[in-house]
Amino acid sequence: MGIDRVRWGIVATGNISTQFTHDLGLLPDDAVVTAVASRSQDSAQKFAAEFGIPHAYDDYRRLIDSGEVDVIYIGTPHPQHYAVARTALQAGVAVLCEKPVTLTAQQARDLIAVAAENNTLFAEAMWMRTNPVIQALFEDLGSGSIGEPQQVVADFAFKLQKQSHKPSLPVRLLDPALGGGSLMDGGIYPATFAYMALGRPAEVRAVGSLNEDGVDLNVAMAWRYESGAVAALTCGLRSQNPWVASISGPDGNLQLPHRFHHPEYYVRTTASGAERIAVPTHGRGYHYEAAEVMRALRQGLLEVPALPHAGTLEILELLDETRSQIGVRYPGDDDDLSG
Ligand SMILES: NC(=O)c1ccc[n+]([C@@H]2O[C@H](COP(=O)([O-])OP(=O)(O)OC[C@H]3O[C@@H](n4cnc5c(N)ncnc54)[C@H](OP(=O)(O)O)[C@@H]3O)[C@@H](O)[C@H]2O)c1
């Protein structure tokens, strides 16, 4: 692509867009935010003023068509990801889209195909994968320090407070129309962690407790592998969990502390004792994924090596299967995108 400065456009002005845009400011001057779009001009202008962004649009499509951006970051609720990402990819604008990148594996498969057809980069913003501590932990695992992994345990549950950060908005996590539920919002992290450690399981079993609107509030997943390895994964919105993760093998284990998906250190325990391994990080950690996207754009890649399409797709297939077992349905489950 031969670009020196990468021009970012931010789609939506909510919680995560704010955090991501803040972290973009931690990158060198070669990352510039040139535009923001919101459903409301007022919100777009406030966001633009907060971050010094020159162009503010009251429509996502106008940002995509503006010619002012190389890549968009999509921070809408999950059900809106698919249409915005598809429009951008068809226009040849690269996309970094929040997790889960779509509600269904079928939609993700379609986006990956549209990205290829349009020779345009597409990535899921699974920021955990680009966190330096997580990367160090998986290098450690790959070096054989604990032997072949046999068990993964990971947990992502917190008590949902009723008030959203913007009281005028519905509480997204409890709204079926906004893709509510703990699995797609939080459970995707333990699922990704286990997938990174062990790959795709041979068997998935899941149980879940749903509220009267069909939104999952508590989910437990058990994954089994042909190798004999297993994973036990939980997520929920009803309890303050330890929010930790571990990988264990015959020679020891690697443990991540509270908020395991963006840690500051991990602990390796082997026969020689427990060692705390810290890796310097800064910011909240969203700039690491942004830097990977920029590197891939400069190399003319359609896929960000640290945010692989296969992982995005296979994890959504596992989440489809989990939702079907626990009875969570989303709009789009019955759509046929094959034609
Ligand atoms: N990577 C992470 O750490 C992380 C953390 C939290 C959330 N997320 C993901 O990021 C996405 C957004 O989460 P969030 O917590 O930022 O949500 P949020 O605070 O509710 O913001 C979502 C924004 O999307 C836009 N939007 C478009 N259509 C909407 C609709 N029908 N209803 C409500 N808002 C709509 C709104 O912006 P405008 O009004 O400006 O258009 C809204 O402010 C989700 O997919 C979530 O899974 C990721």
Side-chain angles (χ1 to χ4, degrees), residues 13 15-16 38-39 60 76-78 98-99 165 172 286:
T13 57
N15 158 41
I16 192 64
S38 168
R39 294 168 304 167
Y60 303 156
T76 66
H78 348 313
E98 261 312 328
K99 41 56 62 177
H165 69 289
R172 177 175 67 74
Y286 297 108

Side-chain angles (χ1 to χ4, degrees), residues 256-272:
L256 287 164
H258 182 67
R259 293 182 189 264
F260 76 86
H261 61 307
H262 58 105
E264 288 171 5
Y265 69 92
Y266 69 97
V267 177
R268 183 206 302 125
T269 305
T270 61
S272 36

Side-chain angles (χ1 to χ4, degrees), residues 65-88:
D65 292 341
S66 67
E68 299 290 346
V69 300
D70 301 309
V71 54
I72 61 165
Y73 165 82
I74 303 176
T76 66
H78 348 313
Q80 282 75 26
H81 292 171
Y82 175 65
V84 182
R86 203 170 201 282
T87 304

Side-chain angles (χ1 to χ4, degrees), residues 185-204:
D185 218 88
I188 192 170
Y189 288 106
T192 302
F193 185 73
Y195 179 91
M196 289 170 78
L198 295 169
R200 189 188 181 119
E203 185 183 4
V204 173

Side-chain angles (χ1 to χ4, degrees), residues 6-160:
V6 173
R7 301 170 306 160
W8 287 87
I10 306 295
V11 170
T13 57
N15 158 41
I16 192 64
S17 290
T18 305
Q19 297 190 49
F20 178 84
T21 307
H22 174 270
D23 268 9
L24 273 182
L26 302 174
L27 290 173
D29 290 346
D30 57 356
V32 286
V33 184
T34 44
V36 58
S38 168
R39 294 168 304 167
S40 103
Q41 187 66 35
D42 187 43
S43 249
Q45 263 159 355
K46 279 194 186 131
F47 196 94
E50 182 179 348
F51 292 104
I53 301 170
H55 301 280
Y57 301 103
D58 64 357
D59 188 287
Y60 303 156
R61 176 85 212 208
R62 286 186 60 212
L63 180 150
I64 291 166
D65 292 341
S66 67
E68 299 290 346
V69 300
D70 301 309
V71 54
I72 61 165
Y73 165 82
I74 303 176
T76 66
H78 348 313
Q80 282 75 26
H81 292 171
Y82 175 65
V84 182
R86 203 170 201 282
T87 304
L89 292 170
Q90 285 179 320
V93 174
V95 169
L96 174 65
C97 179
E98 261 312 328
K99 41 56 62 177
V101 75
T102 50
L103 289 177
T104 67
Q106 186 181 208
Q107 291 174 335
R109 202 173 294 113
D110 177 65
L111 290 183
I112 291 167
V114 172
E117 277 158 30
N118 290 280
N119 209 25
T120 301
L121 179 141
F122 170 59
E124 178 174 35
M126 178 37 82
W127 65 310
M128 178 178 75
R129 283 181 176 272
T130 58
N131 177 286
V133 178
I134 297 278
Q135 293 192 333
L137 178 144
F138 279 99
E139 269 176 40
D140 197 338
L141 179 70
S143 76
S145 59
I146 62 164
E148 274 303 304
Q150 298 301 320
Q151 292 210 358
V152 170
V153 178
D155 153 47
F156 195 112
F158 56 87
K159 170 77 176 78
L160 179 66

